[in-house]
Every structure is written in C-alpha cells, then in structure tokens.
C-alpha cells in the first residue's frame, strides 16, 4: 500500500515459455499454470494475499481430514487403526523384531476397542447392516438411521439372547418406515435371508421398548412402488394416481388395506390405458390375494364412473 492510501494493483504474471499473460492458479496443485501452453510457472510471488489464499484453501479443503464420523461404524470412525501391512512410512519392510512388536500392538489395539459384549455385538451387527443396505440400494441416511436404532436397542440389552440378523432386519425396516423409503418387509427379509415372521417379532419388540412412533405409509407411495416394480408406462402411473385422488375424495380408502387398494387402482388404470396386465402379476408384487383385488375393483367401479 502506498503512503497516499492507494492500493497497489498486482501485476499479471507472464509465462516464461510463450510470453502470454494467461497464467492462472491451480487450486489442486497450488501452482501457477499457463492456460495457453500448459507450462508450469516457476515464479513465486510470495505475497501476503497468496499466503492467505493458500491458508484459506487448505483450511476449507476437507478431503485430507479423514473419514467423517458415522454411526454405521462400531467405533464411529474415530479410533486409531493399525494396518495389516508390515511396512513403514517409506514402504520398506520391517525387521523381524519390529514385526513382532507391531503385531502385539495390533492385537492389543483390537482388544481395547472390543472390550465388552456390546462393542463386539455392534461390530458384527453394523457390518451386516452395511452389507444389507448395499443389497437393498438404500441411501446413507437410511443406513445411519438404522444404525442409530440398533445402537439404542443394544444399549438397552435387547440384543442379548436374540437373533442379530432379526434385530438388524427390524432396525432396517424401522428406518425405512421413518424415512418413507418404499421397501416392504419381504424385501428386507429376502436380503437378510430370514423369515418375515422373525423380522416382525423383532420389529414389534423395538417399537415397544424404544417407544418409536412410525409414520403410516400412504396409498400413493404403494401405487408408485408397485408401478415401478411392474415397469409400467408413465401414462399408466399418472392415470393410477388420478384414480387414487378420486378414491380419496369419495372416502373409499378409509379402513381399506392400502396395498390392495393400490393394486386394484393400478389394474383399473392399466385397463383405461390399454396396457395388458394380469391380476396375478399385480397380486404377486403387492402381496395380496386375487379375491381382495377383485373386491376393491368392484367397489371402486360401483362408486366412481371410470
């Protein structure tokens, strides 16, 4: 800054190779690069603005701070991990005496992290939880919610003497219900390789002991889910949602099974859109009987002119 109080403008850098003034700063490598010829400039301005820019860039860059804290990991990703490779920081192999010392440190590190039954159960259960979340293509938010529910159940000693698979499946189903993720209990039972009865018994236990309030899935969610699984056209989906709005206006949906109602509406919409669809296919996807489907179709036709 000049004594008169005026700010001195920085001169643009000139490329040493092509003499061009199109030199830019690379935020990744923290180097000046010519955008015309690609030559890296060896000039170092050493200015205060450059120093503050580097400090702020390094501070805002969070890619080098390690993995974030996660409930889906038994130690939340905050503990120290000793790798299995017997090499030092330079990549050189350790000496035999050093290998024995590192192996003992690795063993005691694992023992210190899993020093009680709850920690050991969490390590096993959360690994299964992440695997099942990948199988079901669940988002990280749903997996984190399921891990939070399982942690609360483990703290209350609900996992003691019970099936870990069943409790993990129940936590996943509860997280899907909380986030309105369209996954049925059959989908989760298939991914966990257990029966729906086992998951439902653990799910009822979680609801009772943890006092969870689960939102009720609405009919349009089932309509969209069934249409996607049947790979129906967008025209049929819109027609099914239009019919469902008419059903709600006429108060036909009160006290009815939402899956049976959604299946019957999809069947009627497919007929209106001239898309061939059998009743058995809808019943298999919606997990209802053909009798329920026909009853709901007859009731809708009697009260709504389609």
């Amino acid at each position: 800054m000049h004594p008169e109080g005026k700010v001195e403008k920085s001169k643009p850098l000139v490329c040493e190779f092509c003499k061009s003034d199109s030199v830019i700063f690379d935020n990744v490598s923290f180097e000046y690069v010519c955008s015309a010829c690609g030559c890296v400039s060896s000039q170092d301005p050493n200015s205060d603005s450059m120093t503050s820019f580097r400090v702020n860039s390094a501070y805002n860059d969070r890619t080098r701070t390690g993995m974030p804290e996660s409930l889906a990991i038994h130690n939340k990703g905050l503990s120290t991990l000793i790798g299995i490779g017997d090499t030092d920081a330079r990549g050189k192999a350790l000496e035999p005496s050093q290998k024995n010392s590192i192996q003992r440190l690795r063993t005691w590190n694992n023992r210190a992290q899993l020093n009680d039954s709850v920690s050991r159960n969490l390590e096993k259960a959360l690994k299964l939880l992440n695997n099942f979340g990948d199988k079901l293509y669940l988002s990280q938010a749903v997996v984190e919610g399921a891990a939070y529910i399982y942690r609360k159940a483990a703290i209350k000693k609900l996992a003691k003497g019970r099936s870990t698979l069943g409790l993990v499946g129940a936590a996943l189903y509860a997280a899907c219900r909380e986030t309105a993720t369209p996954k049925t209990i059959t989908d989760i039972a298939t991914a966990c390789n257990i029966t729906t009865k086992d998951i439902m018994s653990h799910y009822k236990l979680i609801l009772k002991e943890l006092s969870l309030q689960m939102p009720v899935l609405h009919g349009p969610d089932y309509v969209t889910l069934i249409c996607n699984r049947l790979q129906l056209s967008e025209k049929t989906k819109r027609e099914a949602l239009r019919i469902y709005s008419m059903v709600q206006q006429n108060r036909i949906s009160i006290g009815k099974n939402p899956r049976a109602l959604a299946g019957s509406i999809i069947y009627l919409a497919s007929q209106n859109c001239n898309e061939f669809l059998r009743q058995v296919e809808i019943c298999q996807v919606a997990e209802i009987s053909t009798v329920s489907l026909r009853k709901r179709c007859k009731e809708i036709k009697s009260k709504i002119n389609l």
Side-chain angles (χ1 to χ4, degrees), residues 133-134 136-146 172 176 179 181 183:
D134 294 337
L136 294 168
Y137 301 100
L138 298 177
S139 63
Q140 188 62 28
V142 179
V143 176
E144 291 283 338
L172 274 173
C176 291
T179 56
T181 303
K183 293 292 181 182

Side-chain angles (χ1 to χ4, degrees), residues 46-63:
N46 291 326
S47 61
D48 294 336
S49 60
M50 179 61 192
T51 305
S52 62
F53 178 78
R54 288 187 179 182
V55 171
N56 293 332
S57 299
Y59 178 76
N60 294 327
D61 186 14
R62 299 178 181 270
T63 58

Side-chain angles (χ1 to χ4, degrees), residues 30-93:
F30 294 100
E31 294 175 334
Y32 282 95
V33 182
C34 178
S35 60
C37 64
C39 180
V40 178
S41 177
S42 61
Q43 303 177 34
D44 190 8
N46 291 326
S47 61
D48 294 336
S49 60
M50 179 61 192
T51 305
S52 62
F53 178 78
R54 288 187 179 182
V55 171
N56 293 332
S57 299
Y59 178 76
N60 294 327
D61 186 14
R62 299 178 181 270
T63 58
R64 299 178 62 187
T65 58
M67 62 182 301
E69 183 179 351
S70 175
L71 291 174
I73 306 174
H74 72 281
N75 52 23
K76 297 184 180 179
L78 300 176
S79 65
T80 303
L81 300 176
I82 301 178
I84 60 175
D86 293 330
T87 55
D88 58 5
R90 298 179 180 178
K92 296 176 63 178

Side-chain angles (χ1 to χ4, degrees), residues 193-247:
N193 197 19
I194 54 178
T195 61
T196 56
K197 183 179 179 181
D198 193 8
I199 292 182
M200 187 54 66
S201 62
H202 287 85
Y203 175 69
K204 291 179 180 178
L205 176 69
I206 286 176
L207 292 183
K208 180 181 178 181
E209 296 294 333
L210 303 183
S211 301
L212 299 178
Q213 299 294 331
M214 291 297 160
V216 180
L217 286 178
H218 300 288
D221 298 331
Y222 284 108
V223 170
T224 306
L225 175 64
I226 297 171
C227 286
N228 290 336
R229 290 185 176 178
L230 291 172
Q231 298 180 355
L232 299 179
S233 62
E234 190 65 27
K235 181 180 178 181
T236 306
K237 292 180 186 178
R238 294 181 180 275
E239 179 67 16
L241 292 174
R242 187 187 69 84
I243 296 175
Y244 194 89
S245 63
M246 297 171 62
V247 168

Side-chain angles (χ1 to χ4, degrees), residues 15 21 58 79 141 180 198 250 257 302:
C15 179
D21 59 349
S79 65
D198 193 8
N250 288 271
N257 184 359
S302 63

Side-chain angles (χ1 to χ4, degrees), residues 151-166:
R151 283 179 180 272
K152 291 175 65 177
I155 291 173
K156 283 203 169 188
K157 306 292 185 180
L158 299 183
K160 188 175 182 179
R162 293 186 173 88
S163 171
T164 304
L165 280 175

